Amino acid sequence: MPQHRIVVTGGSGKLGRVVVQDLVDHGYDVINVDLAPPAHAVCPFLRADLADYGQVVDAISSHPSVGAGESAELVVPHAVVHLAAVPAPRLKPNAETFRNNTVSDYNVFEASRRLGVKKVVYASSETVLGLPFADPPPYAPIDEAAPPCPNSAYSLAKLLMETSAAQMCRWDPAVSMIGLRFSNVMEPHDYTRFPAYEADPASRLWNLWGYIDARDGAQAVRLAIERGQPGAHVYIIANADTVVSQPSASLMQTYFPGVPVRPLSDDHATLLSIDKARRDLGYAPQYSWRHAS
């Protein structure tokens, strides 16, 4: 099993803690960098403010197991997984969300670049696609070819994140920077909320009834580390189905009449296309609310 060192920012968060566990389970040497310690530590933890560039450089290039007063050589990790952020719109004032996320994103990207890290995987967002879909999507399942359409300060920051990655890869074509446009992250206990979506499908049209099981999100992160190619790439990461039982084609006809619907793999196929992630990364969702016990 691989023993490469991986630095994960935001490893104490909802998706981050599952990503950390998955990487540890697959033999990686993981360091969790976050402001908050994890509820259950499975790897070394380092508290750092990612809005401070100096702290970011230190966090990426050192190991928290080195004791105070000890010297250590510069450690360049195999990859940096950047998940830390204000995780959604309107959790904080817009300007603070934008400031925190853009400054932290730049600091992590720039520190990784200057330290010589060749693989960066980062959390972008489905919101870049135009969420909430007050205006209909151009087609469904929507994919990465759709023009970005940020509708919030949070989403705009994610688009700038993707743009920064593309330009930094232009500066160094050997670098791999993979942006994962995660859908709404769910853990198994969240599936108890799904009957409410069933009763009111309109409550979930804002993201085309999409979701991502955190365990499949972690799979996507690991595959991006292992199979991501040089250059800047973005992938929609969703589960293979929707959050309701109504057929996907019927949902589109009911709530977005007139929007072209491309061929679907099955009645409940996701309307957030994961074909590119399947093709390039070998991504294959393993979990669904439909089979949860």
Side-chain angles (χ1 to χ4, degrees), residues 5-58:
R5 176 165 296 163
I6 310 293
V7 173
V8 179
T9 74
S12 301
K14 184 173 186 178
L15 177 61
R17 59 179 178 259
V18 184
V19 168
V20 166
Q21 185 67 66
D22 180 81
L23 290 171
V24 168
D25 289 346
H26 284 81
Y28 287 97
D29 177 13
V30 182
I31 301 170
N32 172 20
V33 177
D34 207 319
L35 280 174
H40 304 286
V42 297
C43 70
F45 167 75
L46 184 65
R47 187 191 307 273
D49 180 357
L50 300 184
D52 182 324
Y53 180 72
Q55 291 188 44
V56 176
V57 171
D58 184 271

Side-chain angles (χ1 to χ4, degrees), residues 158-234:
K158 290 297 186 182
L159 179 57
L160 292 179
M161 190 183 197
E162 294 183 0
T163 303
S164 297
Q167 295 307 312
M168 289 188 178
C169 286
R170 181 177 62 84
W171 300 344
D172 185 352
V175 170
S176 171
M177 299 188 77
I178 307 297
L180 303 178
R181 293 176 173 177
F182 289 110
S183 189
N184 188 195
V185 177
M186 301 287 183
E187 294 180 286
H189 65 84
D190 293 318
Y191 294 148
T192 60
R193 304 203 309 263
F194 279 39
Y197 308 149
E198 194 76 25
D200 182 18
S203 68
R204 292 289 304 198
L205 63 80
W206 59 271
N207 80 332
L208 297 183
W209 303 274
Y211 75 108
I212 177 66
D213 188 291
R215 294 164 293 183
D216 284 322
Q219 176 205 159
V221 169
R222 176 167 41 82
L223 290 171
I225 294 170
E226 296 172 352
R227 303 187 185 185
Q229 296 301 303
H233 309 275
V234 294

